[in-house]
Amino acid sequence: MAERIRYEGAYPTRAQAEDVARRVLEALGRQLTGDERVELAARLPREAAGFLASQIPLGRPLTGWGFVKDLARRSGTTPATARWDTGSVLGVVARLAGDDLTDRIITRLPDGYALLFGKAQLARPA
C-alpha cells in the first residue's frame, strides 16, 4: 500500500508515503463509523487498519473540504498539500476497498468526499 501511495502521490521516499498514509487514515478514522469502518479496516493492510481504528469518530463528521482543512491544520501543511495527500491515499484506499464499499462510505459521509476518493461527486436526492 505504501508503495502505491508513494507512486500515486509522487512522494520521494517510502517513509514520506507512510507518514502521509498514517495522517490521512487517522483523519478518516475520526469521520467514519459503523459497518463501513469495520469493513474498510478488514480490507486494508494491518498497519493501515490500525491507523484507521486508532481514532475515535467525531459525533458529527466534517464535510470533504472540512476534512482537508482539518488535516492541513493538524499536520502543519497547506490545504493544497493536504488535498494532494488525501487524494493520494484515499485513491489507493478506494481501490483496496472496492467500488461497493467505497460508494457506501461516500454515502455515509457529508458532501465532498467522492472527489477525495477519486470518484465523481453526484448530486444527492433531496
Side-chain angles (χ1 to χ4, degrees):
M1 181 175 173
E3 277 304 312
R4 284 186 186 172
I5 292 168
R6 186 174 80 76
Y7 178 78
E8 296 286 329
Y11 299 107
T13 66
R14 183 181 173 109
Q16 187 177 2
E18 289 171 348
D19 183 56
V20 166
R22 177 189 53 78
R23 286 187 278 120
V24 172
L25 288 170
E26 286 175 350
L28 184 60
R30 290 188 289 275
Q31 307 304 310
L32 194 56
T33 61
D35 292 340
E36 289 78 14
R37 178 184 172 106
V38 174
E39 285 183 50
L40 180 58
R43 295 183 191 190
L44 296 175
R46 182 188 314 225
E47 188 174 14
F51 297 145
L52 179 78
S54 71
Q55 301 298 303
I56 298 170
L58 301 172
R60 186 176 198 154
L62 301 169
T63 64
W65 178 236
F67 178 91
V68 169
K69 290 190 307 186
D70 183 61
L71 180 63
R73 183 184 57 76
R74 288 175 186 264
S75 59
T77 63
T78 67
T81 299
R83 170 61 182 92
W84 180 266
D85 293 345
T86 299
S88 298
V89 173
L90 295 185
V92 171
V93 166
R95 286 193 294 283
L96 291 171
D99 287 337
D100 179 58
L101 178 55
T102 300
D103 290 344
R104 286 188 294 140
I105 289 170
I106 291 167
T107 300
R108 288 188 54 90
L109 293 170
D111 284 340
Y113 282 87
L115 291 174
L116 299 177
F117 280 94
K119 294 190 161 256
Q121 179 72 50
L122 302 176
R124 294 183 189 210

